[in-house]
Amino acid sequence: MSDLSRFPIAQRWPAQHPDRIQLYSLNTPNGVKASIMLEETGLPYEPHLVDITRNESHTPEFLSLNPNGKIPAIIDPDGPRGEPLALFESGAILMYLADKTGKFISTDPAQRWHTIQWVFFQMASIGPMFGQVGFFNKFAGKEYADKRPLRRYVDESKRLLGVLNGRLDGRDWIMGDDYSIADIATVGWVNNLITFYEARELVGYDAFASVGRWLNRALERPAVQRGLKIPSRD
């Protein structure tokens, strides 16, 4: 039996199955990267809902695992050398789980790094820009009289969709024939942009046909369908 008692987060969110990977998250575009990856790999895991609308990610217990106060975070009781490993940052979690399982990232060194660069493209560009569109289009930012911030982020999101569309032209997946962590990192954000953020027309989404086909292809995957709902408040 794995002992997670040295992790304060396990006191607030007790593990019923301490031998499984513990996922602390919510099904936001960042959170679902981890849940989709865990569903895709088939690794046993136990999800714990961290309700960011109640600032649960800023409690002392959560901050003990991620001092940045953001979901998702995990504890793998069977980490390197058999010792528990705690991780935050969704991109790092994707890379760790890919290496742990040998899935969704190439063993070819060049292809591996090309995959990682597209994960970083999502982390550095798509996530922050789409998130700003969501803020200014749906949340408190929509009340701002000055619409220049919204326009700025809409224009940049269109540009990024164009970059992604160009990459996907003639490809099933971001890395070509092989579904990878680059797709897993990106699918939740693109889906959220046109659903929850209600920005489909705003960003001219339907003009990016290759992105549309890619998203539909990804949403047909059972693991993606499950992961998008884990963990949910509903």
Side-chain angles (χ1 to χ4, degrees):
M1 183 69 70
S2 300
D3 182 12
L4 302 180
S5 61
R6 68 181 177 91
F7 295 97
I9 197 168
Q11 299 170 17
R12 186 181 180 99
W13 289 278
Q16 300 300 311
H17 304 281
D19 57 326
R20 302 178 185 178
I21 291 174
Q22 303 296 302
L23 170 65
Y24 307 93
S25 191
L26 181 66
N27 62 330
T28 68
N30 275 333
V32 299
K33 297 177 203 175
S35 53
I36 290 172
M37 184 63 171
L38 287 163
E39 289 290 326
E40 290 280 15
T41 60
L43 286 166
Y45 75 102
E46 180 177 355
H48 302 276
L49 191 152
V50 179
D51 193 342
I52 60 175
T53 67
R54 297 180 178 179
N55 288 323
E56 290 184 350
S57 62
H58 291 280
T59 59
E61 295 88 353
F62 190 87
L63 291 171
S64 71
L65 186 58
N66 181 2
N68 194 34
K70 303 292 184 181
I71 55 108
I74 66 168
I75 299 174
D76 183 0
D78 184 25
R81 297 181 297 278
E83 295 294 323
L85 176 69
L87 275 181
F88 63 88
E89 282 296 335
S90 56
I93 291 170
L94 287 177
M95 292 169 63
Y96 171 72
L97 294 176
D99 283 352
K100 181 181 178 72
T101 60
K103 296 180 178 180
F104 308 117
I105 194 166
S106 177
T107 57
D108 174 76
Q111 185 78 342
R112 173 185 171 84
W113 281 109
H114 287 154
T115 305
I116 291 171
Q117 78 179 353
W118 283 100
V119 172
F120 276 53
F121 170 72
Q122 182 282 306
M123 300 288 293
S125 299
I126 283 182
M129 293 302 106
F130 287 13
Q132 293 288 359
V133 169
F135 174 76
F136 285 102
N137 188 53
K138 180 165 183 173
F139 297 109
K142 70 181 180 180
E143 306 299 332
Y144 293 9
D146 187 347
K147 299 304 178 185
R148 285 175 295 179
L150 173 61
R151 186 76 261 153
R152 170 182 170 82
Y153 292 119
V154 166
D155 289 347
E156 179 63 3
S157 293
K158 286 182 177 180
R159 188 189 71 80
L160 293 171
L161 284 168
V163 172
L164 185 60
N165 198 70
R167 174 64 183 180
L168 288 166
D169 186 24
R171 294 181 172 91
D172 283 348
W173 305 108
I174 292 174
M175 296 312 301
D177 294 334
D178 297 326
Y179 176 77
S180 73
I181 58 172
D183 302 290
I184 294 171
T186 310
V187 63
W189 276 105
V190 176
N191 184 59
N192 215 59
L193 180 69
I194 63 171
T195 55
F196 186 67
Y197 289 163
E198 301 171 355
R200 186 183 194 113
E201 293 184 8
L202 188 65
V203 299
Y205 176 79
D206 292 326
F208 303 100
S210 294
V211 172
R213 287 189 292 270
W214 163 83
L215 179 61
N216 291 338
R217 195 175 296 118
L219 293 176
E220 290 174 355
R221 297 179 69 91
V224 172
Q225 296 173 20
R226 295 191 301 270
L228 286 172
K229 300 174 183 177
I230 301 172
S232 172
R233 289 190 298 267
D234 299 331

